[in-house]
mmCIF file of all heavy atoms in Angstrom:
data_model
loop_
_atom_site.group_PDB
_atom_site.id
_atom_site.type_symbol
_atom_site.label_atom_id
_atom_site.label_comp_id
_atom_site.label_asym_id
_atom_site.label_seq_id
_atom_site.Cartn_x
_atom_site.Cartn_y
_atom_site.Cartn_z
ATOM 1 N N ALA A 40 116.648 95.538 97.200
ATOM 2 C CA ALA A 40 115.599 96.321 96.610
ATOM 3 C C ALA A 40 115.962 97.707 96.125
ATOM 4 O O ALA A 40 115.532 98.126 95.006
ATOM 5 C CB ALA A 40 114.458 96.447 97.700
ATOM 6 N N GLU A 41 116.900 98.390 96.822
ATOM 7 C CA GLU A 41 117.318 99.659 96.482
ATOM 8 C C GLU A 41 118.155 99.632 95.093
ATOM 9 O O GLU A 41 117.950 100.462 94.213
ATOM 10 C CB GLU A 41 118.261 100.196 97.567
ATOM 11 C CG GLU A 41 118.390 101.715 97.517
ATOM 12 C CD GLU A 41 119.393 102.127 98.578
ATOM 13 O OE1 GLU A 41 119.371 101.455 99.780
ATOM 14 O OE2 GLU A 41 120.117 103.136 98.449
ATOM 15 N N GLN A 42 119.021 98.646 94.966
ATOM 16 C CA GLN A 42 119.736 98.573 93.763
ATOM 17 C C GLN A 42 118.895 98.240 92.580
ATOM 18 O O GLN A 42 119.031 98.689 91.518
ATOM 19 C CB GLN A 42 120.855 97.404 93.915
ATOM 20 C CG GLN A 42 121.871 97.323 92.809
ATOM 21 C CD GLN A 42 123.036 96.406 92.998
ATOM 22 O OE1 GLN A 42 122.887 95.482 93.780
ATOM 23 N NE2 GLN A 42 124.080 96.628 92.294
ATOM 24 N N LEU A 43 117.911 97.264 92.869
ATOM 25 C CA LEU A 43 117.008 96.973 91.773
ATOM 26 C C LEU A 43 116.232 98.163 91.374
ATOM 27 O O LEU A 43 116.175 98.379 90.033
ATOM 28 C CB LEU A 43 116.066 95.863 92.389
ATOM 29 C CG LEU A 43 115.033 95.258 91.439
ATOM 30 C CD1 LEU A 43 115.774 94.476 90.295
ATOM 31 C CD2 LEU A 43 114.083 94.276 92.166
ATOM 32 N N GLU A 44 115.679 98.835 92.247
ATOM 33 C CA GLU A 44 114.964 100.094 91.973
ATOM 34 C C GLU A 44 115.867 101.139 91.181
ATOM 35 O O GLU A 44 115.363 101.778 90.181
ATOM 36 C CB GLU A 44 114.400 100.794 93.175
ATOM 37 C CG GLU A 44 113.026 101.260 93.150
ATOM 38 C CD GLU A 44 112.072 100.394 92.336
ATOM 39 O OE1 GLU A 44 111.678 99.334 92.683
ATOM 40 O OE2 GLU A 44 111.537 101.025 91.364
ATOM 41 N N SER A 45 117.121 101.147 91.408
ATOM 42 C CA SER A 45 118.009 102.104 90.784
ATOM 43 C C SER A 45 118.189 101.697 89.240
ATOM 44 O O SER A 45 118.672 102.478 88.494
ATOM 45 C CB SER A 45 119.391 102.259 91.377
ATOM 46 O OG SER A 45 120.120 101.044 91.055
ATOM 47 N N TRP A 46 117.833 100.460 88.866
ATOM 48 C CA TRP A 46 117.923 100.032 87.589
ATOM 49 C C TRP A 46 116.628 100.196 86.773
ATOM 50 O O TRP A 46 116.523 99.798 85.606
ATOM 51 C CB TRP A 46 118.250 98.567 87.504
ATOM 52 C CG TRP A 46 119.625 98.166 87.977
ATOM 53 C CD1 TRP A 46 120.648 99.014 88.245
ATOM 54 C CD2 TRP A 46 120.117 96.933 88.301
ATOM 55 N NE1 TRP A 46 121.704 98.426 88.676
ATOM 56 C CE2 TRP A 46 121.469 97.000 88.765
ATOM 57 C CE3 TRP A 46 119.561 95.552 88.373
ATOM 58 C CZ2 TRP A 46 122.191 96.028 89.202
ATOM 59 C CZ3 TRP A 46 120.302 94.449 88.752
ATOM 60 C CH2 TRP A 46 121.623 94.597 89.146
ATOM 61 N N ALA A 47 115.641 100.802 87.422
ATOM 62 C CA ALA A 47 114.346 100.875 86.778
ATOM 63 C C ALA A 47 114.224 101.515 85.403
ATOM 64 O O ALA A 47 113.486 101.177 84.493
ATOM 65 C CB ALA A 47 113.249 101.607 87.733
ATOM 66 N N LYS A 48 115.092 102.410 85.106
ATOM 67 C CA LYS A 48 114.990 103.228 83.877
ATOM 68 C C LYS A 48 115.946 102.639 82.776
ATOM 69 O O LYS A 48 116.141 103.231 81.699
ATOM 70 C CB LYS A 48 115.372 104.651 84.093
ATOM 71 C CG LYS A 48 114.285 105.411 85.018
ATOM 72 C CD LYS A 48 113.272 106.110 84.188
ATOM 73 C CE LYS A 48 112.226 106.817 84.999
ATOM 74 N NZ LYS A 48 111.667 106.142 86.200
ATOM 75 N N LEU A 49 116.809 101.645 83.199
ATOM 76 C CA LEU A 49 117.745 101.125 82.246
ATOM 77 C C LEU A 49 117.159 100.445 81.045
ATOM 78 O O LEU A 49 116.035 99.788 81.114
ATOM 79 C CB LEU A 49 118.661 100.081 82.900
ATOM 80 C CG LEU A 49 119.522 100.679 84.027
ATOM 81 C CD1 LEU A 49 120.487 99.590 84.498
ATOM 82 C CD2 LEU A 49 120.338 101.967 83.704
ATOM 83 N N SER A 50 117.834 100.594 79.911
ATOM 84 C CA SER A 50 117.436 99.739 78.678
ATOM 85 C C SER A 50 117.767 98.271 78.933
ATOM 86 O O SER A 50 118.467 98.080 79.907
ATOM 87 C CB SER A 50 118.160 100.248 77.500
ATOM 88 O OG SER A 50 119.566 99.964 77.687
ATOM 89 N N PHE A 51 117.247 97.470 78.150
ATOM 90 C CA PHE A 51 117.500 95.995 78.369
ATOM 91 C C PHE A 51 118.948 95.725 78.260
ATOM 92 O O PHE A 51 119.518 94.953 79.054
ATOM 93 C CB PHE A 51 116.672 95.145 77.302
ATOM 94 C CG PHE A 51 117.115 93.690 77.305
ATOM 95 C CD1 PHE A 51 116.644 92.947 78.390
ATOM 96 C CD2 PHE A 51 118.032 93.142 76.366
ATOM 97 C CE1 PHE A 51 116.983 91.553 78.441
ATOM 98 C CE2 PHE A 51 118.465 91.802 76.570
ATOM 99 C CZ PHE A 51 117.869 91.063 77.602
#
Side-chain angles (χ1 to χ4, degrees):
E41 199 183 327
Q42 188 172 23
L43 185 61
E44 223 34 69
S45 76
W46 292 345
K48 298 265 178 318
L49 296 187
S50 65
F51 176 74

